[in-house]
Coordinates of all heavy atoms in Angstrom, one line a residue:
M1 N 221.0 -184.1 -32.8 CA 220.9 -182.7 -33.0 C 220.0 -182.1 -31.9 O 220.4 -180.9 -31.5 CB 220.0 -182.5 -34.4 CG 219.9 -181.2 -34.8 SD 220.3 -181.1 -36.5 CE 220.4 -179.4 -36.7
A2 N 219.1 -182.8 -31.4 CA 218.3 -182.2 -30.3 C 219.2 -182.1 -29.1 O 219.1 -181.2 -28.3 CB 217.1 -183.2 -29.9
G3 N 220.2 -183.0 -28.9 CA 221.1 -182.9 -27.8 C 222.0 -181.8 -27.9 O 222.3 -181.1 -26.9
D4 N 222.4 -181.4 -29.2 CA 223.2 -180.2 -29.4 C 222.5 -178.9 -29.0 O 223.1 -178.0 -28.5 CB 223.6 -180.1 -30.9 CG 224.7 -181.2 -31.3 OD1 225.3 -181.7 -30.4 OD2 224.8 -181.5 -32.5
S5 N 221.2 -178.9 -29.4 CA 220.5 -177.6 -29.1 C 220.2 -177.5 -27.5 O 220.3 -176.4 -27.0 CB 219.1 -177.6 -29.7 OG 218.3 -178.6 -29.3
Q6 N 220.1 -178.7 -26.8 CA 220.0 -178.6 -25.4 C 221.2 -178.2 -24.8 O 221.2 -177.4 -23.8 CB 219.5 -180.0 -24.9 CG 218.1 -180.3 -25.1 CD 217.8 -181.7 -24.5 OE1 218.6 -182.5 -24.2 NE2 216.4 -181.9 -24.3
V7 N 222.4 -178.7 -25.3 CA 223.7 -178.3 -24.7 C 223.9 -176.8 -25.0 O 224.4 -176.0 -24.1 CB 224.8 -179.1 -25.5 CG1 226.2 -178.5 -25.1 CG2 224.7 -180.5 -25.0
A8 N 223.5 -176.3 -26.2 CA 223.7 -174.9 -26.6 C 222.8 -174.0 -25.6 O 223.2 -173.0 -25.1 CB 223.3 -174.6 -28.0
L9 N 221.6 -174.5 -25.4 CA 220.7 -173.8 -24.5 C 221.2 -173.8 -23.1 O 221.1 -172.7 -22.3 CB 219.2 -174.4 -24.5 CG 218.4 -174.1 -25.7 CD1 217.1 -174.9 -25.7 CD2 218.1 -172.6 -25.9
Y10 N 221.7 -174.9 -22.6 CA 222.3 -175.0 -21.2 C 223.5 -174.0 -21.1 O 223.6 -173.3 -20.2 CB 222.7 -176.4 -20.9 CG 223.3 -176.5 -19.6 CD1 222.6 -176.5 -18.4 CD2 224.7 -176.7 -19.4 CE1 223.1 -176.7 -17.2 CE2 225.3 -176.8 -18.2 CZ 224.5 -176.8 -17.0 OH 225.0 -176.9 -15.8
Q11 N 224.3 -174.0 -22.2 CA 225.5 -173.0 -22.1 C 225.0 -171.6 -22.1 O 225.6 -170.8 -21.5 CB 226.4 -173.3 -23.4 CG 227.2 -174.6 -23.2 CD 228.0 -174.9 -24.6 OE1 227.8 -174.2 -25.6 NE2 228.9 -175.8 -24.4
R12 N 224.0 -171.3 -22.9 CA 223.4 -170.0 -23.0 C 222.9 -169.6 -21.6 O 223.1 -168.4 -21.2 CB 222.4 -169.9 -24.0 CG 221.8 -168.5 -24.2 CD 222.7 -167.6 -24.8 NE 222.1 -166.2 -25.0 CZ 222.7 -165.1 -24.9 NH1 224.0 -165.0 -24.6 NH2 222.0 -164.0 -25.0
I13 N 222.2 -170.5 -20.9 CA 221.6 -170.2 -19.6 C 222.8 -170.0 -18.7 O 222.7 -169.0 -17.9 CB 220.8 -171.4 -19.1 CG1 219.5 -171.5 -19.9 CG2 220.5 -171.3 -17.7 CD1 218.7 -172.7 -19.7
Q14 N 223.9 -170.8 -18.7 CA 225.0 -170.5 -17.8 C 225.7 -169.2 -18.1 O 226.0 -168.4 -17.1 CB 226.1 -171.6 -18.1 CG 225.7 -173.0 -17.6 CD 225.5 -173.0 -16.0 OE1 225.9 -172.1 -15.3 NE2 224.8 -174.0 -15.6
E15 N 225.8 -168.8 -19.4 CA 226.3 -167.5 -19.7 C 225.5 -166.3 -19.1 O 226.0 -165.4 -18.5 CB 226.4 -167.3 -21.2 CG 227.5 -168.1 -21.9 CD 227.4 -168.1 -23.4 OE1 226.6 -167.2 -23.9 OE2 228.0 -168.9 -24.1
L16 N 224.2 -166.5 -19.3 CA 223.2 -165.4 -18.8 C 223.3 -165.4 -17.2 O 223.3 -164.3 -16.7 CB 221.8 -165.7 -19.3 CG 221.6 -165.5 -20.8 CD1 220.2 -165.9 -21.2 CD2 221.9 -164.1 -21.2
E17 N 223.4 -166.6 -16.6 CA 223.4 -166.5 -15.1 C 224.7 -165.9 -14.7 O 224.7 -165.1 -13.7 CB 223.4 -168.0 -14.6 CG 222.0 -168.6 -14.6 CD 221.9 -170.0 -14.2 OE1 223.0 -170.7 -14.0 OE2 220.7 -170.5 -14.0
N18 N 225.8 -166.1 -15.4 CA 227.2 -165.5 -15.1 C 227.1 -164.0 -15.3 O 227.5 -163.2 -14.4 CB 228.3 -166.0 -15.9 CG 228.6 -167.5 -15.5 OD1 228.4 -167.9 -14.4 ND2 229.2 -168.2 -16.5
R19 N 226.4 -163.5 -16.3 CA 226.2 -162.1 -16.6 C 225.4 -161.5 -15.4 O 225.7 -160.4 -15.0 CB 225.6 -161.9 -17.9 CG 226.6 -162.1 -19.1 CD 226.1 -161.7 -20.4 NE 225.9 -160.2 -20.4 CZ 225.3 -159.7 -21.5 NH1 224.7 -160.4 -22.4 NH2 225.2 -158.4 -21.5
V20 N 224.3 -162.2 -15.0 CA 223.5 -161.7 -14.0 C 224.3 -161.5 -12.7 O 224.2 -160.5 -12.0 CB 222.3 -162.6 -13.8 CG1 221.5 -162.3 -12.5 CG2 221.3 -162.4 -15.0
E21 N 225.1 -162.5 -12.4 CA 225.9 -162.4 -11.2 C 226.9 -161.2 -11.3 O 227.2 -160.5 -10.3 CB 226.7 -163.7 -11.0 CG 227.5 -163.8 -9.7 CD 226.7 -163.6 -8.5 OE1 225.5 -163.9 -8.4 OE2 227.2 -163.0 -7.5
Q22 N 227.5 -161.0 -12.5 CA 228.4 -159.9 -12.7 C 227.7 -158.6 -12.5 O 228.3 -157.7 -11.9 CB 229.1 -160.1 -14.0 CG 230.1 -161.2 -14.2 CD 230.6 -161.3 -15.6 OE1 230.1 -160.6 -16.5 NE2 231.5 -162.3 -15.8
L23 N 226.5 -158.6 -13.0 CA 225.7 -157.3 -12.9 C 225.4 -157.0 -11.4 O 225.4 -155.9 -10.9 CB 224.4 -157.4 -13.7 CG 224.6 -157.3 -15.3 CD1 223.3 -157.6 -15.9 CD2 225.1 -155.9 -15.6
R24 N 225.1 -158.0 -10.7 CA 224.8 -157.9 -9.2 C 226.1 -157.4 -8.5 O 226.0 -156.5 -7.7 CB 224.4 -159.2 -8.6 CG 223.0 -159.6 -8.9 CD 222.6 -160.9 -8.2 NE 221.3 -161.3 -8.5 CZ 221.0 -162.6 -8.8 NH1 221.9 -163.5 -8.7 NH2 219.8 -162.9 -9.1
I25 N 227.2 -157.9 -8.9 CA 228.4 -157.4 -8.3 C 228.7 -156.0 -8.7 O 229.0 -155.1 -7.8 CB 229.6 -158.3 -8.7 CG1 229.5 -159.7 -8.0 CG2 231.0 -157.7 -8.3 CD1 230.4 -160.8 -8.5
S26 N 228.5 -155.7 -9.9 CA 228.7 -154.3 -10.4 C 227.8 -153.3 -9.7 O 228.2 -152.3 -9.3 CB 228.4 -154.2 -11.9 OG 229.4 -155.0 -12.6
R27 N 226.5 -153.8 -9.5 CA 225.6 -152.9 -8.8 C 226.0 -152.6 -7.4 O 225.9 -151.5 -6.9 CB 224.2 -153.6 -8.8 CG 223.1 -152.7 -8.2 CD 221.8 -153.5 -8.1 NE 220.8 -152.7 -7.4 CZ 220.6 -152.6 -6.1 NH1 221.4 -153.3 -5.4 NH2 219.7 -151.9 -5.6
R28 N 226.5 -153.7 -6.7 CA 227.0 -153.5 -5.3 C 228.1 -152.5 -5.3 O 228.2 -151.7 -4.4 CB 227.3 -154.8 -4.7 CG 226.1 -155.7 -4.2 CD 226.6 -156.8 -3.4 NE 227.4 -157.8 -4.0 CZ 226.9 -158.9 -4.5 NH1 225.7 -159.2 -4.5 NH2 227.8 -159.8 -5.2
V29 N 229.0 -152.7 -6.2 CA 230.2 -151.8 -6.3 C 229.7 -150.4 -6.5 O 230.2 -149.4 -5.9 CB 231.2 -152.3 -7.4 CG1 232.3 -151.2 -7.6 CG2 231.9 -153.6 -7.0
L30 N 228.8 -150.2 -7.5 CA 228.4 -148.8 -7.7 C 227.6 -148.2 -6.6 O 227.8 -147.1 -6.3 CB 227.4 -148.9 -9.0 CG 228.0 -149.0 -10.3 CD1 227.0 -149.2 -11.5 CD2 228.9 -147.8 -10.6
M31 N 226.8 -149.0 -5.9 CA 226.1 -148.5 -4.7 C 227.1 -148.1 -3.7 O 226.9 -147.0 -3.0 CB 225.1 -149.6 -4.2 CG 223.9 -149.8 -5.1 SD 223.0 -148.4 -5.5 CE 222.3 -148.0 -4.0
R32 N 228.1 -148.8 -3.5 CA 229.1 -148.4 -2.5 C 229.8 -147.2 -2.9 O 230.1 -146.3 -2.0 CB 230.2 -149.6 -2.3 CG 229.6 -150.7 -1.5 CD 230.8 -151.7 -1.2 NE 230.1 -152.9 -0.5 CZ 230.4 -154.2 -0.9 NH1 231.1 -154.4 -2.0 NH2 229.8 -155.1 -0.3
L33 N 230.1 -147.0 -4.2 CA 230.7 -145.8 -4.6 C 229.8 -144.6 -4.5 O 230.3 -143.5 -4.1 CB 231.1 -145.9 -6.1 CG 232.4 -146.9 -6.4 CD1 232.5 -147.0 -7.9 CD2 233.6 -146.3 -5.8
V34 N 228.5 -144.8 -4.8 CA 227.6 -143.7 -4.6 C 227.5 -143.4 -3.1 O 227.4 -142.1 -2.7 CB 226.2 -144.1 -5.2 CG1 225.1 -143.1 -4.7 CG2 226.2 -144.2 -6.7
E35 N 227.4 -144.3 -2.3 CA 227.4 -144.1 -0.8 C 228.6 -143.3 -0.3 O 228.5 -142.3 0.4 CB 227.2 -145.4 -0.1 CG 226.9 -145.3 1.4 CD 226.7 -146.7 2.0 OE1 225.8 -147.4 1.5 OE2 227.4 -147.0 3.0
K36 N 229.7 -143.8 -0.8 CA 231.0 -143.1 -0.3 C 231.0 -141.7 -0.9 O 231.3 -140.8 -0.1 CB 232.2 -143.9 -1.0 CG 233.5 -143.3 -0.6 CD 234.6 -144.2 -1.2 CE 236.0 -143.5 -0.8 NZ 237.0 -144.2 -1.5
S37 N 230.5 -141.4 -2.1 CA 230.5 -140.1 -2.7 C 229.5 -139.2 -1.8 O 229.8 -138.1 -1.5 CB 230.0 -140.2 -4.1 OG 229.9 -138.9 -4.6
E38 N 228.4 -139.7 -1.5 CA 227.4 -139.0 -0.7 C 228.0 -138.6 0.6 O 227.9 -137.5 1.2 CB 226.1 -139.8 -0.4 CG 225.2 -139.8 -1.6 CD 224.6 -138.4 -1.9 OE1 224.1 -137.8 -0.9 OE2 224.6 -138.0 -3.0
N39 N 228.7 -139.6 1.3 CA 229.4 -139.3 2.6 C 230.4 -138.3 2.5 O 230.5 -137.4 3.4 CB 230.0 -140.6 3.2 CG 228.9 -141.6 3.7 OD1 227.8 -141.2 3.9 ND2 229.3 -142.8 3.7
E40 N 231.2 -138.3 1.5 CA 232.3 -137.3 1.2 C 231.6 -135.9 1.0 O 232.1 -134.9 1.4 CB 233.1 -137.7 0.1 CG 234.1 -138.9 0.3 CD 234.8 -139.4 -0.9 OE1 234.6 -138.9 -1.9 OE2 235.6 -140.3 -0.7
K41 N 230.5 -135.9 0.3 CA 229.8 -134.7 0.0 C 229.3 -134.1 1.3 O 229.5 -132.9 1.5 CB 228.7 -134.9 -1.0 CG 227.9 -133.6 -1.3 CD 226.7 -133.9 -2.1 CE 225.6 -134.3 -1.2 NZ 224.2 -134.4 -1.8
W42 N 228.7 -134.9 2.1 CA 228.2 -134.3 3.4 C 229.3 -133.9 4.3 O 229.2 -132.9 5.1 CB 227.2 -135.3 4.1 CG 225.9 -135.3 3.4 CD1 225.4 -136.3 2.6 CD2 225.0 -134.2 3.4 NE1 224.2 -135.9 2.1 CE2 223.9 -134.7 2.6 CE3 224.9 -132.9 3.9 CZ2 222.8 -133.8 2.3 CZ3 223.8 -132.1 3.6 CH2 222.8 -132.6 2.8
E43 N 230.4 -134.6 4.3 CA 231.6 -134.2 5.1 C 232.0 -132.8 4.7 O 232.4 -131.9 5.5 CB 232.7 -135.2 5.0 CG 232.5 -136.5 5.8 CD 233.6 -137.5 5.6 OE1 234.6 -137.2 5.0 OE2 233.3 -138.7 5.9
L44 N 232.1 -132.6 3.3 CA 232.5 -131.4 2.8 C 231.6 -130.2 3.1 O 232.0 -129.1 3.6 CB 232.7 -131.4 1.3 CG 233.1 -130.2 0.6 CD1 234.4 -129.7 1.0 CD2 233.1 -130.4 -0.9
V45 N 230.3 -130.5 3.0 CA 229.2 -129.5 3.3 C 229.4 -129.1 4.8 O 229.4 -127.9 5.1 CB 227.8 -130.1 3.0 CG1 226.8 -129.2 3.7 CG2 227.6 -130.2 1.5
N46 N 229.5 -130.1 5.7 CA 229.6 -129.7 7.1 C 230.9 -129.0 7.4 O 230.9 -128.0 8.2 CB 229.6 -131.1 7.9 CG 228.2 -131.6 8.0 OD1 227.2 -130.9 7.9 ND2 228.1 -132.9 8.1
R47 N 232.0 -129.4 6.7 CA 233.2 -128.7 7.0 C 233.1 -127.2 6.4 O 233.6 -126.2 7.1 CB 234.4 -129.3 6.2 CG 235.7 -128.8 6.6 CD 236.9 -129.7 6.2 NE 236.9 -129.9 4.7 CZ 236.7 -131.1 4.1 NH1 236.5 -132.1 4.8 NH2 236.8 -131.1 2.8
L48 N 232.5 -127.0 5.3 CA 232.3 -125.6 4.8 C 231.4 -124.9 5.7 O 231.6 -123.6 5.9 CB 231.7 -125.7 3.4 CG 232.7 -126.2 2.3 CD1 232.0 -126.4 0.9 CD2 233.9 -125.2 2.2
R49 N 230.3 -125.5 6.2 CA 229.4 -124.8 7.2 C 230.2 -124.3 8.4 O 230.0 -123.1 8.9 CB 228.2 -125.7 7.6 CG 227.2 -125.8 6.6 CD 226.0 -126.6 7.1 NE 225.0 -126.8 6.1 CZ 224.2 -127.8 6.0 NH1 224.1 -128.7 6.9 NH2 223.3 -127.9 5.0
Q50 N 231.1 -125.1 9.0 CA 231.9 -124.8 10.1 C 232.8 -123.6 9.7 O 232.9 -122.7 10.5 CB 232.7 -126.0 10.6 CG 231.9 -127.0 11.3 CD 232.8 -128.2 11.7 OE1 233.8 -128.5 11.1 NE2 232.3 -129.0 12.7
E51 N 233.4 -123.8 8.6 CA 234.3 -122.6 8.2 C 233.6 -121.3 8.0 O 234.1 -120.2 8.4 CB 235.0 -123.0 6.8 CG 236.0 -122.0 6.3 CD 236.7 -122.5 5.1 OE1 236.7 -123.7 4.8 OE2 237.3 -121.6 4.4
K52 N 232.3 -121.4 7.4 CA 231.5 -120.2 7.3 C 231.2 -119.6 8.6 O 231.3 -118.3 8.7 CB 230.2 -120.6 6.5 CG 229.2 -119.5 6.3 CD 228.0 -120.0 5.6 CE 226.8 -119.3 5.9 NZ 225.6 -120.0 5.3
E53 N 230.9 -120.4 9.6 CA 230.6 -119.8 10.9 C 231.8 -119.2 11.6 O 231.7 -118.2 12.2 CB 230.0 -120.9 11.8 CG 228.6 -121.4 11.5 CD 227.6 -120.1 11.5 OE1 227.7 -119.3 12.4 OE2 226.9 -120.0 10.5
Q54 N 232.9 -119.8 11.4 CA 234.2 -119.3 11.9 C 234.5 -117.9 11.3 O 234.9 -117.0 11.9 CB 235.3 -120.2 11.7 CG 235.3 -121.5 12.5 CD 236.3 -122.5 12.2 OE1 237.0 -122.4 11.1 NE2 236.5 -123.6 13.0
L55 N 234.3 -117.9 9.9 CA 234.5 -116.6 9.2 C 233.6 -115.5 9.7 O 233.9 -114.4 9.9 CB 234.4 -116.8 7.7 CG 235.5 -117.6 7.1 CD1 235.2 -117.9 5.6 CD2 236.9 -116.8 7.2
R56 N 232.2 -115.9 9.9 CA 231.3 -114.9 10.4 C 231.7 -114.4 11.7 O 231.6 -113.2 12.0 CB 230.0 -115.6 10.5 CG 229.2 -115.6 9.2 CD 227.8 -116.1 9.4 NE 227.0 -116.0 8.2 CZ 225.8 -116.5 8.0 NH1 225.2 -117.1 9.0 NH2 225.2 -116.3 6.8
A57 N 232.2 -115.3 12.6 CA 232.6 -114.9 14.0 C 233.7 -113.9 13.9 O 233.8 -112.9 14.6 CB 232.9 -116.1 14.9
R58 N 234.8 -114.3 13.1 CA 235.9 -113.4 12.9 C 235.5 -112.1 12.4 O 236.0 -111.0 12.8 CB 236.9 -114.0 12.0 CG 238.0 -114.9 12.8 CD 239.2 -115.2 11.9 NE 238.9 -116.5 11.3 CZ 239.5 -116.9 10.2 NH1 240.4 -116.1 9.6 NH2 239.2 -118.1 9.7
N59 N 234.6 -112.0 11.4 CA 234.1 -110.8 10.8 C 233.4 -109.9 11.8 O 233.6 -108.7 11.9 CB 233.1 -111.2 9.7 CG 233.5 -110.7 8.4 OD1 234.6 -110.2 8.2 ND2 232.7 -110.9 7.4
R60 N 232.6 -110.6 12.7 CA 231.9 -109.8 13.8 C 232.9 -109.2 14.7 O 232.8 -108.0 15.1 CB 230.9 -110.7 14.6 CG 229.6 -110.9 13.8 CD 228.6 -111.6 14.7 NE 229.0 -112.9 15.2 CZ 228.8 -114.1 14.6 NH1 228.1 -114.1 13.5 NH2 229.2 -115.2 15.2
R61 N 233.9 -109.9 15.1 CA 235.0 -109.4 16.0 C 235.7 -108.3 15.4 O 236.0 -107.2 15.9 CB 236.0 -110.5 16.4 CG 235.4 -111.4 17.4 CD 236.6 -112.4 18.0 NE 237.2 -113.2 17.0 CZ 236.7 -114.4 16.7 NH1 235.7 -115.0 17.3 NH2 237.3 -115.2 15.8
Y62 N 236.1 -108.5 14.1 CA 236.8 -107.4 13.3 C 235.9 -106.2 13.2 O 236.4 -105.0 13.4 CB 237.1 -107.9 12.0 CG 238.0 -107.0 11.1 CD1 239.2 -106.6 11.5 CD2 237.5 -106.5 9.9 CE1 240.0 -105.7 10.8 CE2 238.2 -105.7 9.1 CZ 239.5 -105.3 9.5 OH 240.2 -104.4 8.8
A63 N 234.6 -106.3 12.9 CA 233.7 -105.2 12.8 C 233.6 -104.4 14.2 O 233.6 -103.2 14.2 CB 232.3 -105.6 12.3
R64 N 233.5 -105.2 15.3 CA 233.5 -104.5 16.6 C 234.8 -103.8 16.9 O 234.7 -102.7 17.4 CB 233.2 -105.6 17.7 CG 231.9 -106.0 17.9 CD 231.6 -106.7 19.1 NE 232.4 -108.0 19.2 CZ 231.8 -109.2 18.8 NH1 230.6 -109.2 18.3 NH2 232.5 -110.3 18.9
V65 N 235.9 -104.3 16.5 CA 237.2 -103.6 16.7 C 237.2 -102.4 15.9 O 237.6 -101.3 16.4 CB 238.4 -104.5 16.4 CG1 239.7 -103.8 16.3 CG2 238.5 -105.7 17.4
I66 N 236.8 -102.5 14.6 CA 236.8 -101.2 13.8 C 235.9 -100.2 14.3 O 236.2 -99.0 14.4 CB 236.4 -101.6 12.3 CG1 237.5 -102.4 11.7 CG2 236.1 -100.4 11.5 CD1 237.3 -102.9 10.3
W67 N 234.6 -100.7 14.8 CA 233.7 -99.7 15.4 C 234.2 -99.0 16.6 O 234.1 -97.8 16.7 CB 232.4 -100.5 15.7 CG 231.3 -99.7 16.3 CD1 231.0 -99.5 17.7 CD2 230.5 -98.7 15.6 NE1 230.0 -98.7 17.8 CE2 229.6 -98.1 16.6 CE3 230.4 -98.4 14.3 CZ2 228.7 -97.2 16.2 CZ3 229.4 -97.4 14.0 CH2 228.6 -96.9 14.9
Q68 N 235.0 -99.8 17.5 CA 235.5 -99.2 18.7 C 236.6 -98.2 18.3 O 236.7 -97.1 18.9 CB 236.1 -100.3 19.6 CG 236.6 -99.8 20.9 CD 235.6 -99.1 21.7 OE1 234.4 -99.4 21.7 NE2 236.0 -98.0 22.4
K69 N 237.5 -98.6 17.4 CA 238.6 -97.6 17.0 C 237.9 -96.4 16.3 O 238.5 -95.3 16.5 CB 239.5 -98.3 15.9 CG 240.3 -99.5 16.5 CD 241.2 -99.0 17.5 CE 242.1 -100.1 18.1 NZ 242.8 -99.8 19.3
N70 N 236.9 -96.5 15.6 CA 236.2 -95.4 15.0 C 235.7 -94.5 16.1 O 235.8 -93.2 16.0 CB 235.1 -95.8 14.0 CG 234.6 -94.7 13.2 OD1 235.3 -93.8 12.8 ND2 233.4 -94.7 12.9
R71 N 235.0 -95.0 17.1 CA 234.5 -94.3 18.2 C 235.7 -93.5 18.9 O 235.5 -92.3 19.3 CB 233.8 -95.1 19.2 CG 232.5 -95.6 18.8 CD 231.8 -96.6 19.7 NE 231.5 -95.8 20.9 CZ 231.2 -96.3 22.1 NH1 231.3 -97.6 22.2 NH2 230.9 -95.5 23.1
E72 N 236.8 -94.2 19.1 CA 237.9 -93.6 19.7 C 238.5 -92.4 19.0 O 238.8 -91.3 19.4 CB 239.1 -94.6 20.0 CG 238.8 -95.6 21.0 CD 239.8 -96.7 21.1 OE1 240.9 -96.5 20.5 OE2 239.6 -97.7 21.7
L73 N 238.5 -92.6 17.6 CA 238.9 -91.5 16.7 C 238.0 -90.3 16.7 O 238.4 -89.1 16.8 CB 239.1 -91.9 15.3 CG 240.2 -92.9 14.9 CD1 240.1 -93.4 13.6 CD2 241.6 -92.1 15.1
V74 N 236.7 -90.6 16.8 CA 235.8 -89.4 16.9 C 235.9 -88.7 18.2 O 235.9 -87.5 18.3 CB 234.3 -90.0 16.7 CG1 233.2 -89.0 17.1 CG2 234.1 -90.4 15.3
F75 N 236.0 -89.5 19.3 CA 236.3 -88.9 20.6 C 237.5 -88.0 20.6 O 237.5 -86.9 21.1 CB 236.4 -90.0 21.7 CG 236.7 -89.5 23.0 CD1 235.6 -89.0 23.8 CD2 238.0 -89.6 23.6 CE1 235.9 -88.5 25.1 CE2 238.2 -89.2 24.8 CZ 237.2 -88.6 25.7
L76 N 238.6 -88.5 20.1 CA 239.8 -87.7 20.1 C 239.7 -86.5 19.2 O 240.3 -85.4 19.6 CB 241.0 -88.6 19.6 CG 241.5 -89.7 20.6 CD1 242.5 -90.6 19.9 CD2 242.0 -89.1 21.8
N77 N 239.1 -86.7 18.1 CA 238.8 -85.5 17.2 C 238.0 -84.4 17.9 O 238.3 -83.3 17.8 CB 238.1 -86.0 15.9 CG 238.7 -85.5 14.7 OD1 239.6 -84.8 14.7 ND2 238.1 -86.0 13.5
C78 N 236.9 -84.9 18.6 CA 236.1 -83.9 19.3 C 236.9 -83.2 20.4 O 236.8 -82.0 20.6 CB 234.9 -84.6 19.9 SG 233.7 -85.1 18.6
K79 N 237.7 -84.0 21.1 CA 238.6 -83.4 22.2 C 239.5 -82.4 21.6 O 239.8 -81.4 22.2 CB 239.2 -84.6 22.9 CG 239.8 -84.3 24.2 CD 240.3 -85.5 24.9 CE 240.8 -85.2 26.3 NZ 241.2 -86.4 27.0
L80 N 240.1 -82.7 20.5 CA 241.1 -81.8 19.9 C 240.4 -80.5 19.5 O 241.0 -79.4 19.5 CB 241.8 -82.5 18.7 CG 242.9 -83.5 19.1 CD1 243.4 -84.1 17.8 CD2 244.0 -82.9 19.8
R81 N 239.2 -80.6 19.0 CA 238.5 -79.4 18.5 C 237.9 -78.6 19.6 O 237.4 -77.5 19.5 CB 237.5 -79.8 17.4 CG 238.0 -80.2 16.1 CD 237.0 -80.4 15.1 NE 236.1 -81.5 15.6 CZ 235.0 -81.8 15.0 NH1 234.5 -81.1 14.0 NH2 234.2 -82.8 15.5
G82 N 237.8 -79.3 20.7 CA 237.2 -78.6 22.0 C 235.7 -78.8 22.0 O 235.0 -78.1 22.7
D83 N 235.1 -79.7 21.3 CA 233.7 -80.0 21.3 C 233.4 -80.7 22.7 O 234.3 -81.2 23.3 CB 233.3 -81.0 20.2 CG 233.4 -80.3 18.8 OD1 233.5 -79.1 18.8 OD2 233.3 -81.0 17.9
I84 N 232.2 -80.6 23.1 CA 231.7 -81.2 24.3 C 231.6 -82.7 24.0 O 230.9 -83.1 23.1 CB 230.4 -80.6 24.7 CG1 230.6 -79.1 25.0 CG2 229.8 -81.3 26.0 CD1 229.2 -78.4 25.3
V85 N 232.2 -83.5 24.9 CA 232.1 -84.9 24.7 C 231.5 -85.5 26.0 O 231.8 -85.1 27.1 CB 233.5 -85.6 24.6 CG1 233.4 -87.1 24.4 CG2 234.2 -85.0 23.4
S86 N 230.4 -86.3 25.9 CA 229.8 -86.8 27.0 C 230.2 -88.3 27.3 O 230.7 -88.9 26.5 CB 228.3 -86.7 26.9 OG 227.8 -87.0 25.7

């Protein structure tokens, strides 16, 4: 009977050691997934920052073009009305 309990305890120890090893593997897998997710997040953030800067630059160019066209329209309007243009 004592031998049976020792065998049962040994089997239980083996089971627990196997579970610990599985948990270690699971932890490594989860850590890799978290790391991969973080890397993808930062890639997306950087890509969005670049896109934002490109949009700002395009916006500035567009605003300058509109401003210049508006100045030309005012100039032509003044010229047609005979106002003094400097």
Side-chain angles (χ1 to χ4, degrees):
M1 185 134 195
D4 288 340
S5 67
Q6 284 182 341
V7 170
L9 288 174
Y10 180 75
Q11 287 175 347
R12 181 69 177 147
I13 289 170
Q14 290 297 344
E15 289 172 13
L16 291 173
E17 285 176 349
N18 288 338
R19 286 186 67 191
V20 166
E21 185 59 31
Q22 290 172 358
L23 287 172
R24 284 184 183 136
I25 292 170
S26 296
R27 182 182 177 279
R28 283 194 294 265
V29 168
L30 284 174
M31 291 305 292
R32 285 189 186 125
L33 288 172
V34 167
E35 188 176 305
K36 182 179 177 184
S37 176
E38 282 291 313
N39 289 340
E40 289 172 354
K41 179 186 82 170
W42 283 112
E43 287 174 14
L44 177 62
V45 166
N46 288 330
R47 191 168 58 245
L48 289 173
R49 283 181 182 159
Q50 287 176 337
E51 185 178 338
K52 177 179 150 185
E53 287 305 314
Q54 290 171 350
L55 289 172
R56 279 185 173 175
R58 269 195 267 161
N59 243 5
R60 284 191 297 268
R61 283 192 297 271
Y62 184 62
R64 279 194 295 269
V65 167
I66 290 175
W67 181 256
Q68 184 60 36
K69 293 296 180 188
N70 193 33
R71 287 180 66 199
E72 291 172 13
L73 286 172
V74 168
F75 176 77
L76 290 174
N77 229 358
C78 290
K79 198 172 183 180
L80 286 175
R81 288 186 298 166
D83 292 345
I84 299 173
V85 179
S86 39

